[in-house]
Amino acid sequence: MKKIHNYIVILIALLIQLSCSDVLDKQPLDRIQGEQLFSDPEGVRLYMANLYSQLPVEDFAYFRNGFNINGGDPNNGGFVVAMLTDEAVHSEFGDFFRNEDISWWEPAYKLIRDVNQLIEIVPEIDVTEADRSQILGEALFIRGYAYFGLVKRYGGVPLIAEAQDYTGDIESLKVPRSTEKETWDFLLNDLQKASEALPELWPGGERRATKWAALGLISRASLHAASIAKYAAKAPLSGDAAAAGLVGLNTADANTYYQLTIASSDEIIKSGTFGLYQPNPSSPQEAARNIQGMFQNPNVALTEAIFSKGFAIPDNDRGHNYDIWFGPAQLANGWPHPGRMNPTLEFVEQYETYDNPGAITPLETRSDGVNSDYNGFNPSVSYISYNDPAVLFANRDARFHATVVAPGAEWKDREIIIQAGFIKPDGTPVIRTKDQVEVNGRMFYSYGAENTSQYSGFDTYGGNNTRTGFSFKKFLNEDKAVVPGWNQSTTDFMDIRYAEVLLNYAEAVVESGQGDAALAAKAINDIRRRAAHTLEIPLTLENVLRERRVELAFENKRYWDLIRRRTYEEEFTNRRRHSLFPLLDLRASTPAYIFVRENVPAMEAQNFQPRFYYRPIPGIGGNGLIQNPSY
């Protein structure tokens, strides 16, 4: 995949050159010219590269309103799907769902059309039968991936299995929606055929679909379908689309899909081809460095990465913008829009402590142990004092330290200052207000430092400072300064990785009672061991889901987990997300930090509407399709 964008450039040049030929001038221009484009393997590879570039990979160029948002000046405000969940909020804005969010329709059918044209021409290509089989396998993988992107958004969709020719009758091109079950079965069948046709690896190490990538996508997709079927009663559907089976699955179908998850995951696990990166660290500190390094450069973790998307060079449409959007404000290096990803307090507390494995241990902020009061500073409460704010977080799971920048943490050799205010010696609180006070000849600043370039929290200046008390580091490049320009990041993205397969397997085993429970328990405990846990936990649904939250955090999985398990409505009914305010307490002779729980400032309670389990079908006035419920 590293070479994809170069291939596309060459492909465009090749097509321009071919368009001038006498041959093309005499033939229809709305069809692939197999004789020219596919006359040698390079032409096939060029066309295939274009297909890969259209895949709906939810990566660093995927924002909540579309894929591949990394052209010139992609100023979408830094909104990502994590901000629609309980993982994070945006530093500046607080809106939630809109109808256009998470949509993907016309580009999907463009990709499907392009794939079907390739499938049609495959029998005519002058290649060996082995090569022909592999080309077909890649095409089926891409089409299966495309339909997965559609069905999880819209339910049952029109299934177009072959290239369509326009003969002047637009009605002949219209295809009605298939049922949701038919759509799941169609794409899973494509992926199964792909897994049988694709090689286990490509000789040159190219980032192309393999047998294992197809099985990994089966593992992901079938788990999604199984969950929808099992939890159908939690979000009952009505209306024409529901009556026709265009949305929703029957509970009786759940175990069939769980079995597919188990079988595909089991084949990957038992192949011995993949494993967790650095599975046996000597300490939590080493584990945090390993995990952070794996996401900063997935190329060091080839045993973990099953299918990755590469970002080739810093440039429009090639690089991405995670480093400029999401790093702490102190390290913006002149970029005007940093600090946009703010992990929430409830997300942070999902990370266990090493002395209380298998349980949620709230951060210790008050002497009375109360951890459900989000009403802000109360002068009558006895808060626990910390001379160093980093101490509060020191014993958390290594994955926390590889993902989140906590107050007082070091990042790129800088102490990241996140402070919401101070308590003056006379007891007056100054919170989220820029102020300063001199105490015993020393000047103290409410945000922890004098200038906006010296701190990363709570000041509303530019919308660049965290308002939850936490900043972000997962995926970001610690080895170089932020380059203040669009699309300068080239970190690669692991789309399908071994840890996800292990978690899929464990969840399917727990939910269905099928499979090998001992292997499933080993799967989650191996993941935990990689994070430096030494005590094993039992295989329970609660444990599996918590592991999934912390292991796959910010990989655009949480949104779909809430969707497929039909728990979004439960989690976001009058939902307030929460912050942790570090305050410097100047009442004592030696100033120390206290931590106060708060609702995220300037953010109203939010709700998830049940209709959002499916997105609206666009263009029904012209395409005649049945609309999804409540749109």
Side-chain angles (χ1 to χ4, degrees), residues 509-551:
V509 168
V510 171
E511 289 281 46
S512 70
Q514 304 174 86
D516 185 339
L519 180 60
K522 181 179 185 300
I524 64 168
N525 282 299
D526 283 352
I527 293 171
R528 291 169 58 80
R529 188 174 300 107
R530 194 252 296 275
H533 287 280
T534 58
L535 298 177
E536 294 193 350
I537 59 174
L539 179 69
T540 66
L541 182 59
E542 181 183 13
N543 284 341
V544 171
L545 295 180
R546 185 174 60 255
E547 278 302 306
R548 190 173 181 90
R549 287 188 69 178
V550 299
E551 178 65 27

Side-chain angles (χ1 to χ4, degrees), residues 64 181 289 335 383 499 517 609:
R64 73 181 200 183
K181 185 178 190 307
R289 289 192 298 272
W335 180 252
Y383 295 96
Q609 300 179 39

Side-chain angles (χ1 to χ4, degrees), residues 287-293 295 351 397-405 411 473-475:
R289 289 192 298 272
N290 292 340
I291 294 166
Q292 180 189 327
F295 291 108
Y351 290 96
D397 187 304
R399 290 168 289 188
F400 166 76
H401 297 283
T403 303
V404 176
V405 178
W411 173 243
K473 73 168 76 166
K474 189 172 183 178
F475 313 114

